[in-house]
Amino acid sequence: FFFFTPPRKAMGQCESKPPPKKASSVPRPPPTFGRDPSLDPSDYILRSCSGLTVLKTDNQKQQYVVEGASGCSVYLFCVLAALTVDECDGCVVVSGPVESSAFVRDARDSTFVLACQQLRTRDCVNCRFVVYSMTEPIIESSRGLSFGCYDLGYEGLGRDMEGAALSVWNNKWYDVYDFTPSPGTESKTSRNWSVDEGGGEDYLEKARAADGADAIGLGGGRVVPRTRGK
């Protein structure tokens, strides 16, 4: 056997520590939304509002936040990095592809038409979800939810799905997992949610009347194949 012995340092030789870094005299630039300093955060946040109709078509791939909305209709016909919806009552939220996760929390009597990699909901009551999800939709502490297959159609949706790396053939909208199932049931048989195969695009009513809607090509045919729930 051979043993390696590290060489000894000469007498009086020691390792010197690097000098502490001096604080930079150059001021840091103010924080920006995402990596583009030209973006205005207020264009991607809808907070504490009532009765508004919002329509966005720019493909900046940013996160969008809806919080504290009542009776609002939000149409996001573009690719999003992420989507967060909190404390909404009587709202309609329709989105193109979301690259990562869509979170819906504390929502009541609302409709959500979402395409995302992962959908997570919590504390939602009497809400309709028309969904494309690459993974199992997750619900928690919720009741009265319905799930249907994503049937949104607008010009460029196929391109947007590819841009968000979402395969139209991998939709698990029906494979809902309930972290808090109703008594006497399991996560996959919970009565807190049901399958809704009715379809229809009634949620686009206000979008068609909004400024700029003509250029979107709404109702141009579904891109995600219709699949039936189990």
Side-chain angles (χ1 to χ4, degrees), residues 31 54 113 115 179 186 207:
V54 176
V113 183
F179 269 120
E186 298 179 355

Side-chain angles (χ1 to χ4, degrees), residues 53 55 75 77 203-214 216 218:
T53 297
L55 190 149
Y75 301 100
F77 300 122
Y203 51 79
L204 292 177
E205 179 182 355
K206 291 186 178 180
R208 290 191 172 97
D211 292 339
D214 293 341
I216 300 172
L218 293 176

Side-chain angles (χ1 to χ4, degrees), residues 23-70:
S24 175
S25 59
V26 180
R28 292 184 177 181
T32 60
F33 193 78
R35 297 180 180 180
D36 189 342
S38 67
L39 297 179
D40 184 352
S42 64
D43 290 336
Y44 300 90
I45 300 174
L46 184 66
R47 179 176 289 137
S48 302
C49 55
S50 177
L52 293 182
T53 297
V54 176
L55 190 149
K56 288 189 69 66
T57 59
D58 63 276
N59 264 327
Q60 297 290 348
K61 291 189 178 182
Q62 299 293 330
Q63 178 181 5
Y64 198 89
V65 177
V66 180
E67 182 179 328
S70 175

Side-chain angles (χ1 to χ4, degrees), residues 52-207:
L52 293 182
T53 297
V54 176
L55 190 149
K56 288 189 69 66
T57 59
D58 63 276
N59 264 327
Q60 297 290 348
K61 291 189 178 182
Q62 299 293 330
Q63 178 181 5
Y64 198 89
V65 177
V66 180
E67 182 179 328
S70 175
C72 292
S73 297
V74 183
Y75 301 100
L76 310 170
F77 300 122
C78 53
V79 180
L80 302 176
L83 175 65
T84 303
V85 181
D86 286 311
E87 299 177 357
C88 287
D89 188 359
C91 292
V92 174
V93 179
V94 180
S95 86
V98 180
E99 287 184 317
S100 57
S101 298
F103 297 94
V104 181
R105 298 170 293 214
D106 296 292
R108 302 180 66 89
D109 303 317
S110 297
T111 296
F112 300 94
V113 183
L114 311 172
C116 56
Q117 187 180 92
Q118 180 188 55
L119 172 65
R120 298 188 68 104
T121 75
R122 191 186 70 209
D123 298 319
C124 295
V125 179
N126 298 334
C127 290
R128 175 191 179 195
F129 290 87
V130 183
V131 175
Y132 167 96
S133 180
M134 284 187 66
T135 58
E136 300 174 333
I138 302 295
I139 69 174
E140 183 178 357
S141 302
S142 300
R143 56 186 172 82
L145 308 187
S146 69
F147 283 81
C149 183
Y150 190 75
D151 59 359
L152 179 64
Y154 65 84
E155 185 175 347
L157 176 57
R159 179 191 63 242
D160 287 349
M161 291 289 288
E162 292 179 0
L166 301 181
S167 169
V168 299
W169 306 106
N170 188 24
N171 186 7
K172 298 183 178 179
W173 67 269
Y174 54 82
D175 202 11
V176 178
Y177 188 95
D178 189 351
F179 269 120
T180 53
S182 49
T185 65
E186 298 179 355
S187 59
K188 293 294 184 179
T189 59
S190 172
R191 292 187 295 271
N192 291 324
W193 67 277
S194 61
V195 169
D196 176 14
E197 298 187 24
E201 297 181 349
D202 55 306
Y203 51 79
L204 292 177
E205 179 182 355
K206 291 186 178 180

